[in-house]
Amino acid sequence: SQTIHQWPATLVQPVGSPLSLECTVEGTSNPNLYWYRQAAGRGLQLLFYSVGIGQISSEVPQNLSASRPQDRQFILSSKKLLLSDSGFYLCAWTSGSTDTQYFGPGTRLTVL
Amino acid sequence: QKEVEQDPGPLSVPEGAIVSLNCTYSNSAFQYFMWYRQYSRKGPELLMYTYSSGNKEDGRFTAQVDKSSKYISLFIRDSQPSDSATYLCAMSGVSGGSNYKLTFGKGTLLTVNP
């Protein structure tokens, strides 16, 4: 069966510090991968998606970036965090034959 | 007009009640409809997946799609306190597309009181 991991689970960072969140998927190959941010009252905001290694599509302009160095690894980064980057970050995957996305446990980021 | 509208609630019901959760949408290209359940501080989990119009039942849960009205519903029978969560609707237009992006509602917060 497929499993999706995210770490860390919780993170508190000062404004201006760098960020690296990691997501890995097990039990599948060549998944589509997604990064979302969920802020209170704003629903799920799609940040990036990837259909293959090195292929990243950005949905919104921001100070975040994403990379996919391996087939089942997706990384969300920032060089300098802003207060507005606080939120719940979710990674999701889907196979190549269905629309249903499966979410990881999430990372709660607080920028102070 | 937003692509997907979902009443955020909160919705509070007594244990054993029938719960009705709804979403409306504006894009007639949507064909695939999902409901996710999200417990506090957890990732969303897939509850139901339906294609086009009609009903789908899974235990106490029934998903209903009315494409002519651009309206989808999730019914929960014999609701339990463990059903207390945020329920998100999601939909997409083209299966087999290269990116499988979903459009989500903002979620409805449900509390089932014992």
Side-chain angles (χ1 to χ4, degrees), chain A residues 52-92:
Chain A
I53 296 174
Q55 301 180 62
I56 308 295
S57 296
S58 174
E59 287 293 297
V60 292
Q62 60 218 335
N63 72 323
L64 300 172
S65 62
S67 62
R68 186 170 176 174
Q70 299 181 42
D71 181 44
R72 289 168 287 181
Q73 184 185 31
F74 205 22
I75 296 172
L76 183 69
S77 304
S78 174
K79 292 182 179 178
K80 288 186 177 181
L81 283 169
L82 306 172
L83 286 174
S84 57
D85 291 324
S86 293
F88 191 44
Y89 287 82
L90 290 157
C91 181

Side-chain angles (χ1 to χ4, degrees), chain A residues 4-84:
Chain A
I4 180 168
H5 303 279
Q6 284 186 249
W7 63 90
T10 306
L11 193 59
V12 180
Q13 292 285 93
V15 169
S17 63
L19 173 74
S20 181
L21 304 181
E22 190 165 341
C23 169
T24 59
V25 181
E26 297 177 355
T28 188
S29 58
N30 197 30
N32 284 6
L33 296 171
Y34 307 82
W35 277 113
Y36 291 88
R37 178 169 57 207
Q38 189 175 38
R42 296 192 60 186
L44 282 169
Q45 180 186 28
L46 179 63
L47 302 174
F48 301 93
Y49 69 91
S50 171
V51 300
I53 296 174
Q55 301 180 62
I56 308 295
S57 296
S58 174
E59 287 293 297
V60 292
Q62 60 218 335
N63 72 323
L64 300 172
S65 62
S67 62
R68 186 170 176 174
Q70 299 181 42
D71 181 44
R72 289 168 287 181
Q73 184 185 31
F74 205 22
I75 296 172
L76 183 69
S77 304
S78 174
K79 292 182 179 178
K80 288 186 177 181
L81 283 169
L82 306 172
L83 286 174
S84 57

